[in-house]
Amino acid sequence: MNTGASRIEVNEVGPRDGLQIEKAFVPTDQKVAFVDGLSACGYARIEVTSFTSPKAIPALADAQEVMRRIQRRPGVVYTALVPNIRGLERALEVGTDELNLVMSSSETHNRANLRMTRDQSLAELINILQAAQGAGVPCNVSLSTAFGCPFDGDVPVGDVLRLAGSLAEAGAAGITLCDTTGMAYPTQVADLCEQVARAVPGIPLTAHLHNTRGMALANAIAAWQTGVARFDAAAGGLGGCPFAPGASGNVNTEELVHMFQCMGIETGVDLPALLAIVRGLPQLVQREFSTPMLAAGHRLATHAPPAWLAERFGPA
Ligand code: COA
Ligand code: ZN
Protein backbone atom coordinates (compact mmCIF):
# COMPACT_ATOMS: atom_id res chain seq x y z
CA MET A 1 0.00 0.00 0.00
CA ASN A 2 1.27 3.48 -0.83
CA THR A 3 1.79 5.42 2.34
CA GLY A 4 1.20 9.12 2.83
CA ALA A 5 2.24 11.61 5.49
CA SER A 6 3.06 10.25 8.97
CA ARG A 7 1.22 13.21 10.50
CA ILE A 8 -2.04 14.77 9.34
CA GLU A 9 -3.87 17.95 10.29
CA VAL A 10 -7.52 17.62 11.24
CA ASN A 11 -9.81 20.59 10.72
CA GLU A 12 -13.00 20.34 12.75
CA VAL A 13 -15.90 21.74 10.73
CA GLY A 14 -18.73 20.64 13.05
CA PRO A 15 -19.53 24.15 14.33
CA ARG A 16 -19.90 25.40 10.71
CA ASP A 17 -20.75 22.59 8.25
CA GLY A 18 -22.32 20.60 11.09
CA LEU A 19 -24.65 23.25 12.45
CA GLN A 20 -25.52 25.07 9.18
CA ILE A 21 -28.10 22.42 8.23
CA GLU A 22 -29.64 21.78 11.66
CA LYS A 23 -33.28 22.79 12.01
CA ALA A 24 -33.12 23.68 15.70
CA PHE A 25 -31.21 26.91 16.29
CA VAL A 26 -28.33 26.20 18.66
CA PRO A 27 -28.19 29.09 21.16
CA THR A 28 -25.06 31.24 20.97
CA ASP A 29 -23.85 30.23 24.46
CA GLN A 30 -23.99 26.58 23.46
CA LYS A 31 -22.15 27.20 20.19
CA VAL A 32 -19.38 28.99 22.11
CA ALA A 33 -19.19 26.11 24.62
CA PHE A 34 -19.05 23.59 21.75
CA VAL A 35 -16.10 25.39 20.13
CA ASP A 36 -14.34 25.86 23.49
CA GLY A 37 -14.70 22.12 24.17
CA LEU A 38 -13.27 21.29 20.74
CA SER A 39 -10.36 23.67 21.38
CA ALA A 40 -9.08 21.30 24.07
CA CYS A 41 -9.06 18.28 21.72
CA GLY A 42 -5.87 19.06 19.77
CA TYR A 43 -7.17 20.15 16.39
CA ALA A 44 -5.02 22.06 13.90
CA ARG A 45 -8.00 24.19 12.91
CA ILE A 46 -11.59 24.76 13.94
CA GLU A 47 -14.04 26.22 11.44
CA VAL A 48 -16.06 28.20 13.92
CA THR A 49 -18.89 29.56 11.78
CA SER A 50 -19.71 31.14 8.43
CA PHE A 51 -20.08 34.80 7.57
CA THR A 52 -22.89 34.19 5.12
CA SER A 53 -26.24 35.87 4.68
CA PRO A 54 -28.46 35.12 7.69
CA LYS A 55 -31.30 34.64 5.22
CA ALA A 56 -29.35 31.89 3.45
CA ILE A 57 -28.00 30.26 6.65
CA PRO A 58 -30.16 31.32 9.62
CA ALA A 59 -28.50 28.69 11.84
CA LEU A 60 -25.27 30.74 11.85
CA ALA A 61 -26.77 34.23 12.02
CA ASP A 62 -24.83 34.82 15.28
CA ALA A 63 -21.45 34.31 13.58
CA GLN A 64 -19.82 37.49 14.84
CA GLU A 65 -20.87 36.98 18.43
CA VAL A 66 -19.63 33.38 18.40
CA MET A 67 -16.25 34.36 16.93
CA ARG A 68 -15.91 37.19 19.45
CA ARG A 69 -16.73 35.07 22.47
CA ILE A 70 -14.78 31.83 21.91
CA GLN A 71 -11.61 31.32 23.94
CA ARG A 72 -8.65 31.27 21.55
CA ARG A 73 -6.28 28.47 22.43
CA PRO A 74 -2.68 28.99 21.25
CA GLY A 75 -1.81 26.59 18.44
CA VAL A 76 -5.36 26.30 17.12
CA VAL A 77 -6.25 28.26 13.98
CA TYR A 78 -9.82 29.64 14.16
CA THR A 79 -11.27 29.91 10.69
CA ALA A 80 -14.64 30.70 9.11
CA LEU A 81 -16.37 30.30 5.77
CA VAL A 82 -16.67 33.46 3.67
CA PRO A 83 -18.54 33.71 0.33
CA ASN A 84 -18.34 37.45 -0.45
CA ILE A 85 -16.83 40.84 0.47
CA ARG A 86 -19.52 41.48 3.10
CA GLY A 87 -18.49 38.21 4.75
CA LEU A 88 -14.84 39.26 4.66
CA GLU A 89 -15.67 42.54 6.42
CA ARG A 90 -17.64 40.76 9.14
CA ALA A 91 -14.87 38.17 9.61
CA LEU A 92 -12.16 40.81 9.92
CA GLU A 93 -14.17 42.86 12.43
CA VAL A 94 -14.06 39.97 14.89
CA GLY A 95 -10.44 38.93 14.32
CA THR A 96 -10.86 35.62 12.47
CA ASP A 97 -7.38 33.99 12.18
CA GLU A 98 -7.84 32.54 8.72
CA LEU A 99 -10.63 32.59 6.14
CA ASN A 100 -12.06 29.72 4.16
CA LEU A 101 -13.42 31.25 0.96
CA VAL A 102 -15.96 29.19 -0.92
CA MET A 103 -17.27 28.69 -4.42
CA SER A 104 -18.42 25.68 -6.41
CA SER A 105 -16.64 23.79 -9.14
CA SER A 106 -19.96 23.36 -10.96
CA GLU A 107 -22.12 26.14 -12.36
CA THR A 108 -25.53 25.09 -11.08
CA HIS A 109 -24.49 24.45 -7.48
CA ASN A 110 -22.69 27.79 -7.40
CA ARG A 111 -25.87 29.55 -8.53
CA ALA A 112 -28.10 27.62 -6.10
CA ASN A 113 -25.75 28.01 -3.12
CA LEU A 114 -24.25 31.46 -3.65
CA ARG A 115 -26.69 33.12 -6.08
CA MET A 116 -23.80 34.02 -8.35
CA THR A 117 -22.34 32.56 -11.54
CA ARG A 118 -18.95 30.90 -11.14
CA ASP A 119 -17.35 33.85 -12.94
CA GLN A 120 -18.95 36.27 -10.47
CA SER A 121 -17.81 34.17 -7.51
CA LEU A 122 -14.29 33.86 -8.89
CA ALA A 123 -14.05 37.64 -9.32
CA GLU A 124 -15.43 38.16 -5.79
CA LEU A 125 -12.93 35.69 -4.28
CA ILE A 126 -10.01 37.29 -6.12
CA ASN A 127 -11.05 40.67 -4.64
CA ILE A 128 -11.27 39.08 -1.19
CA LEU A 129 -7.83 37.48 -1.58
CA GLN A 130 -6.37 40.91 -2.37
CA ALA A 131 -8.12 42.63 0.52
CA ALA A 132 -7.23 39.87 2.98
CA GLN A 133 -3.59 40.02 1.93
CA GLY A 134 -3.64 43.72 2.79
CA ALA A 135 -5.07 42.81 6.20
CA GLY A 136 -2.49 40.04 6.69
CA VAL A 137 -5.11 37.28 7.00
CA PRO A 138 -4.42 34.04 5.12
CA CYS A 139 -7.19 32.54 2.97
CA ASN A 140 -7.82 28.96 2.04
CA VAL A 141 -10.30 28.36 -0.77
CA SER A 142 -12.84 25.53 -0.71
CA LEU A 143 -14.04 24.29 -4.09
CA SER A 144 -17.44 22.69 -3.55
CA THR A 145 -18.74 19.90 -5.82
CA ALA A 146 -15.20 19.12 -7.01
CA PHE A 147 -16.05 15.41 -7.37
CA GLY A 148 -19.58 15.81 -8.72
CA CYS A 149 -22.59 18.10 -8.53
CA PRO A 150 -26.08 17.06 -7.44
CA PHE A 151 -27.50 19.12 -10.33
CA ASP A 152 -24.90 18.82 -13.12
CA GLY A 153 -23.48 15.34 -12.44
CA ASP A 154 -19.79 14.80 -13.17
CA VAL A 155 -17.74 17.97 -13.10
CA PRO A 156 -14.99 18.28 -15.72
CA VAL A 157 -11.56 17.96 -14.09
CA GLY A 158 -10.45 20.89 -16.26
CA ASP A 159 -12.94 23.16 -14.45
CA VAL A 160 -11.48 22.25 -11.06
CA LEU A 161 -7.92 22.72 -12.31
CA ARG A 162 -8.73 26.10 -13.86
CA LEU A 163 -10.36 27.41 -10.67
CA ALA A 164 -7.59 26.05 -8.43
CA GLY A 165 -4.96 27.61 -10.69
CA SER A 166 -6.62 31.05 -10.82
CA LEU A 167 -7.19 31.14 -7.06
CA ALA A 168 -3.65 29.98 -6.26
CA GLU A 169 -2.30 32.66 -8.57
CA ALA A 170 -4.47 35.23 -6.77
CA GLY A 171 -2.89 34.28 -3.43
CA ALA A 172 -4.87 31.35 -1.95
CA ALA A 173 -2.80 29.78 0.83
CA GLY A 174 -4.48 26.41 0.40
CA ILE A 175 -7.11 24.65 -1.68
CA THR A 176 -9.80 22.32 -0.34
CA LEU A 177 -11.43 19.82 -2.65
CA CYS A 178 -14.97 19.29 -1.39
CA ASP A 179 -17.18 16.30 -2.02
CA THR A 180 -20.35 18.20 -1.17
CA THR A 181 -22.83 15.34 -1.53
CA GLY A 182 -20.65 12.25 -1.22
CA MET A 183 -20.33 11.58 -4.96
CA ALA A 184 -16.58 10.87 -4.84
CA TYR A 185 -15.08 7.39 -5.06
CA PRO A 186 -11.51 6.41 -4.16
CA THR A 187 -9.85 6.13 -7.57
CA GLN A 188 -11.43 9.45 -8.60
CA VAL A 189 -10.20 11.08 -5.39
CA ALA A 190 -6.64 9.86 -5.97
CA ASP A 191 -6.69 11.05 -9.58
CA LEU A 192 -8.08 14.53 -8.86
CA CYS A 193 -5.81 15.10 -5.85
CA GLU A 194 -2.77 14.19 -7.96
CA GLN A 195 -3.82 16.44 -10.81
CA VAL A 196 -4.59 19.43 -8.57
CA ALA A 197 -1.31 18.95 -6.65
CA ARG A 198 0.55 19.09 -9.96
CA ALA A 199 -1.42 22.16 -11.10
CA VAL A 200 -0.74 24.17 -7.91
CA PRO A 201 2.64 22.93 -6.64
CA GLY A 202 3.51 24.01 -3.11
CA ILE A 203 -0.11 24.80 -2.18
CA PRO A 204 -1.38 22.47 0.58
CA LEU A 205 -4.50 20.54 -0.33
CA THR A 206 -7.30 19.58 2.04
CA ALA A 207 -9.88 16.85 1.49
CA HIS A 208 -13.44 17.72 2.57
CA LEU A 209 -15.45 14.52 2.42
CA HIS A 210 -19.08 13.65 3.07
CA ASN A 211 -20.23 10.13 3.88
CA THR A 212 -23.51 10.27 1.95
CA ARG A 213 -22.79 7.01 0.13
CA GLY A 214 -20.51 5.42 2.73
CA MET A 215 -17.23 6.13 0.93
CA ALA A 216 -15.80 8.95 3.03
CA LEU A 217 -13.13 6.95 4.91
CA ALA A 218 -12.10 5.06 1.79
CA ASN A 219 -11.81 8.42 0.01
CA ALA A 220 -9.72 9.80 2.88
CA ILE A 221 -7.24 6.96 2.47
CA ALA A 222 -7.13 7.54 -1.27
CA ALA A 223 -6.37 11.24 -0.73
CA TRP A 224 -3.77 10.49 1.96
CA GLN A 225 -1.96 8.03 -0.31
CA THR A 226 -1.42 10.85 -2.84
CA GLY A 227 0.14 13.07 -0.17
CA VAL A 228 -2.88 15.03 1.09
CA ALA A 229 -2.25 15.69 4.78
CA ARG A 230 -5.17 17.93 5.77
CA PHE A 231 -8.68 16.68 6.35
CA ASP A 232 -11.93 18.45 7.22
CA ALA A 233 -14.25 16.38 9.40
CA ALA A 234 -17.25 16.93 11.68
CA ALA A 235 -17.68 15.50 15.15
CA GLY A 236 -20.52 12.98 15.15
CA GLY A 237 -20.65 13.11 11.35
CA LEU A 238 -22.94 16.16 11.41
CA GLY A 239 -23.24 18.40 8.40
CA GLY A 240 -24.38 19.04 4.88
CA CYS A 241 -25.09 21.89 2.49
CA PRO A 242 -28.71 23.13 2.68
CA PHE A 243 -28.58 24.07 -1.01
CA ALA A 244 -27.51 20.64 -2.29
CA PRO A 245 -30.32 18.09 -2.62
CA GLY A 246 -29.52 14.84 -0.81
CA ALA A 247 -26.69 16.35 1.23
CA SER A 248 -25.80 14.57 4.44
CA GLY A 249 -23.08 14.41 7.03
CA ASN A 250 -19.36 15.03 6.83
CA VAL A 251 -16.90 12.24 7.49
CA ASN A 252 -17.09 11.63 11.28
CA THR A 253 -14.07 13.16 12.99
CA GLU A 254 -13.95 10.40 15.57
CA GLU A 255 -13.93 7.69 12.89
CA LEU A 256 -11.32 9.50 10.80
CA VAL A 257 -9.05 10.10 13.80
CA HIS A 258 -9.47 6.52 15.05
CA MET A 259 -8.64 5.09 11.61
CA PHE A 260 -5.47 7.15 11.18
CA GLN A 261 -4.39 6.49 14.77
CA CYS A 262 -4.76 2.73 14.20
CA MET A 263 -2.45 3.12 11.22
CA GLY A 264 0.16 4.90 13.35
CA ILE A 265 -0.49 8.32 11.79
CA GLU A 266 -0.34 11.25 14.17
CA THR A 267 -3.48 13.40 14.17
CA GLY A 268 -2.91 15.49 17.29
CA VAL A 269 -6.52 14.79 18.33
CA ASP A 270 -7.32 13.37 21.76
CA LEU A 271 -9.92 10.72 20.90
CA PRO A 272 -11.44 10.23 24.41
CA ALA A 273 -11.84 14.01 24.77
CA LEU A 274 -13.52 14.17 21.37
CA LEU A 275 -15.84 11.24 22.19
CA ALA A 276 -16.95 13.06 25.33
CA ILE A 277 -18.07 15.96 23.11
CA VAL A 278 -19.75 13.64 20.61
CA ARG A 279 -21.79 12.21 23.49
CA GLY A 280 -23.39 15.64 24.01
CA LEU A 281 -24.17 16.36 20.35
CA PRO A 282 -27.72 14.94 20.17
CA GLN A 283 -28.63 17.30 23.00
CA LEU A 284 -26.88 20.22 21.27
CA VAL A 285 -28.79 19.76 18.02
CA GLN A 286 -31.96 18.51 19.71
CA ARG A 287 -32.36 15.29 17.77
CA GLU A 288 -31.18 11.72 18.05
CA PHE A 289 -28.67 10.39 15.55
CA SER A 290 -26.45 7.37 15.33
CA THR A 291 -22.91 7.64 16.71
CA PRO A 292 -21.68 4.03 16.56
CA MET A 293 -18.20 4.68 17.93
CA LEU A 294 -19.66 5.89 21.22
CA ALA A 295 -21.03 2.44 21.99
CA ALA A 296 -17.97 0.53 20.77
CA GLY A 297 -15.11 2.92 21.66
CA HIS A 298 -11.56 2.39 20.43
CA ARG A 299 -10.93 -0.96 18.67
CA LEU A 300 -8.91 -2.12 21.69
CA ALA A 301 -11.56 -1.07 24.21
CA THR A 302 -12.22 -4.73 25.01
CA HIS A 303 -14.91 -6.00 27.34
CA ALA A 304 -14.98 -8.32 30.36
CA PRO A 305 -16.13 -11.77 29.19
CA PRO A 306 -19.50 -13.06 30.40
CA ALA A 307 -19.28 -14.45 33.97
CA TRP A 308 -20.41 -17.95 32.94
CA LEU A 309 -17.29 -18.50 30.84
CA ALA A 310 -15.14 -18.88 33.97
CA GLU A 311 -17.63 -21.34 35.48
CA ARG A 312 -17.67 -23.50 32.38
CA PHE A 313 -14.04 -23.27 31.20
CA GLY A 314 -12.15 -22.26 34.37
CA PRO A 315 -9.88 -19.22 34.59
CA ALA A 316 -8.57 -17.98 31.22
N1 COA B 1 -23.17 38.39 5.72
C1 COA B 1 -24.31 38.94 6.16
N2 COA B 1 -25.27 39.42 5.36
C2 COA B 1 -25.04 39.35 4.03
C3 COA B 1 -23.88 38.80 3.51
C4 COA B 1 -22.91 38.29 4.40
N3 COA B 1 -21.78 37.73 3.97
N4 COA B 1 -23.94 38.85 2.18
C5 COA B 1 -25.12 39.44 1.87
N5 COA B 1 -25.78 39.73 2.99
C6 COA B 1 -27.10 40.37 3.11
C7 COA B 1 -27.17 41.68 2.41
O1 COA B 1 -26.75 42.70 3.25
C8 COA B 1 -28.63 41.76 2.05
O2 COA B 1 -29.36 42.12 3.21
P1 COA B 1 -30.75 42.94 3.12
O3 COA B 1 -31.70 42.05 2.36
O4 COA B 1 -31.12 43.12 4.56
O5 COA B 1 -30.40 44.17 2.40
C9 COA B 1 -29.00 40.32 1.74
O6 COA B 1 -28.06 39.52 2.45
C10 COA B 1 -28.92 40.01 0.27
O7 COA B 1 -27.64 40.39 -0.21
P2 COA B 1 -27.09 39.95 -1.64
O8 COA B 1 -25.74 40.50 -1.83
O9 COA B 1 -28.14 40.27 -2.69
O10 COA B 1 -26.94 38.40 -1.46
P3 COA B 1 -27.75 37.22 -2.12
O11 COA B 1 -29.14 37.17 -1.62
O12 COA B 1 -27.54 37.26 -3.59
O13 COA B 1 -26.97 35.95 -1.50
C11 COA B 1 -24.91 35.10 -0.58
C12 COA B 1 -25.59 35.75 -1.76
C13 COA B 1 -23.58 34.57 -1.05
C14 COA B 1 -24.74 36.13 0.51
C15 COA B 1 -25.82 33.96 -0.02
O14 COA B 1 -26.26 33.15 -1.07
C16 COA B 1 -25.11 33.12 1.01
O15 COA B 1 -24.81 33.57 2.08
N6 COA B 1 -24.83 31.84 0.70
C17 COA B 1 -24.12 30.95 1.59
C18 COA B 1 -24.58 29.56 1.40
C19 COA B 1 -23.84 28.59 2.32
O16 COA B 1 -23.20 28.95 3.27
N7 COA B 1 -23.98 27.30 1.97
C20 COA B 1 -23.40 26.25 2.74
C21 COA B 1 -21.93 26.20 2.73
S1 COA B 1 -21.21 25.66 1.23
ZN1 ZN C 1 -19.36 20.09 3.52
Side-chain angles (χ1 to χ4, degrees), residues 16-17 20 50-57 60 81-88 90 102 109 111-116 144 180 240-243:
R16 193 279 299 172
D17 201 325
Q20 72 185 5
S50 74
F51 295 101
T52 45
S53 153
K55 281 182 196 137
I57 308 284
L60 303 180
L81 196 81
V82 167
N84 61 7
I85 291 280
R86 177 79 192 105
L88 165 81
R90 291 174 66 214
V102 65
H109 184 260
R111 293 180 185 196
N113 192 40
L114 302 171
R115 297 166 176 261
M116 289 181 261
S144 304
T180 307
C241 172
F243 302 101

Side-chain angles (χ1 to χ4, degrees), residues 17 208 210 250:
D17 201 325
H208 177 102
H210 282 258
N250 288 84

